[in-house]
Amino acid sequence: MKVVVYPGSFDPMTKGHLDIIERGAKLADRLIVAVLVNANKMPMFTLEERIEILKAGTTHLKNVEIVPFTGLLVDFLKQNGARTVVKGLRAVSDFEYELQMAQANRDLYPEMETIFLCTNVQYSFISSTVVKDILRHGGDISHLVPQEAINIIEKILGGKDNGSGSTGRN
Ligand code: COA
């Protein structure tokens, strides 16, 4: 069985992430979306909330699982019998960082490979930070985030517009 891992912080998931998940799922018998607390980032959503949002946005994909992880990605791969990581490249600016991560991971686990999928052009500007900025100001994210995921986000935030236009979260 070919197990492929798509790691990230997904704070929150976007249509760009879903694009990679759908295409990655076609390359795998089992695609694990590995959700991590990135210590360098201040999240808006808790790990549990991010998982709930991801699950809602991926219910149509039968071979996709959403799993939390801590520690090194290579250890997660070994624990789950995976040797392949999939990541999306949105622009040349992503490449330098992703190359460094892929090389560092392969240095730790030489049997693994990282596959890069070129993000569809309509998603090349999307990031979780853009989505969070729009959310904080009560804007429309329907073109950036799958509707099933928005339903959970709205439930978590207690309604997109609380009167002040601010979610009160980071
Ligand atoms: N569509 C839309 N947005 C995308 C995207 C896509 N296809 N691909 C990436 N992004 C966005 C992400 O949402 C994120 O946005 P943000 O900065 O606004 O939050 C940004 O691009 C960067 O994504 P990424 O580089 O994947 O960072 P991440 O925080 O989501 O995930 C890990 C980083 C978890 C993959 C990485 O830190 C990791 O593997 N950590 C484990 C520890 C480890 O093993 N380290 C290496 C040892 S050397």
Side-chain angles (χ1 to χ4, degrees):
M1 177 182 277
K2 182 149 185 76
V3 184
V4 175
V5 172
Y6 179 31
S9 43
F10 304 103
D11 182 43
M13 88 172 288
T14 68
K15 286 189 177 178
H17 293 134
L18 182 59
D19 172 45
I20 301 300
I21 293 169
E22 286 175 339
R23 289 159 61 198
K26 289 182 190 154
L27 303 174
D29 296 311
R30 183 177 165 222
L31 179 79
I32 303 176
V33 180
V35 190
L36 174 110
V37 178
N38 188 334
N40 300 316
K41 293 181 180 175
M42 176 77 87
M44 174 182 264
F45 297 97
T46 66
L47 188 61
E48 293 71 25
E49 288 169 344
R50 281 181 267 153
I51 289 171
E52 192 185 354
I53 294 164
L54 270 161
K55 282 187 175 167
T58 57
T59 46
H60 59 297
L61 300 166
K62 298 305 165 212
N63 64 334
V64 172
E65 283 169 53
I66 317 297
V67 178
F69 89 104
T70 52
L72 290 176
L73 178 61
V74 292
D75 291 334
F76 182 84
L77 295 180
K78 289 174 191 170
Q79 286 156 15
N80 288 277
R83 290 184 171 183
T84 309
V85 168
V86 68
K87 295 242 31 189
L89 286 180
R90 292 166 297 170
V92 178
S93 50
D94 280 344
F95 180 71
E96 199 173 340
Y97 170 76
E98 293 297 348
L99 178 68
Q100 194 181 19
M101 290 295 280
Q103 289 171 332
N105 284 328
R106 204 149 180 280
D107 181 55
L108 292 168
Y109 185 21
E111 293 81 8
M112 71 161 286
E113 295 290 352
T114 302
I115 296 175
F116 294 107
L117 299 180
C118 298
T119 306
N120 278 328
V121 72
Q122 72 264 38
Y123 304 130
S124 61
F125 72 97
I126 306 179
S127 72
S128 298
T129 298
V130 166
V131 170
K132 283 184 281 194
D133 278 348
I134 296 171
L135 272 176
R136 276 189 206 100
H137 296 96
D140 177 20
I141 56 166
S142 58
H143 55 305
L144 305 177
V145 176
Q147 188 55 51
E148 298 77 5
I150 292 176
N151 295 342
I152 304 298
I153 289 172
E154 287 181 346
K155 190 185 84 180
I156 291 168
L157 297 179
K160 203 159 49 168
D161 185 357
N162 62 8
S164 67
S166 163
T167 66
R169 291 193 175 211
N170 289 315

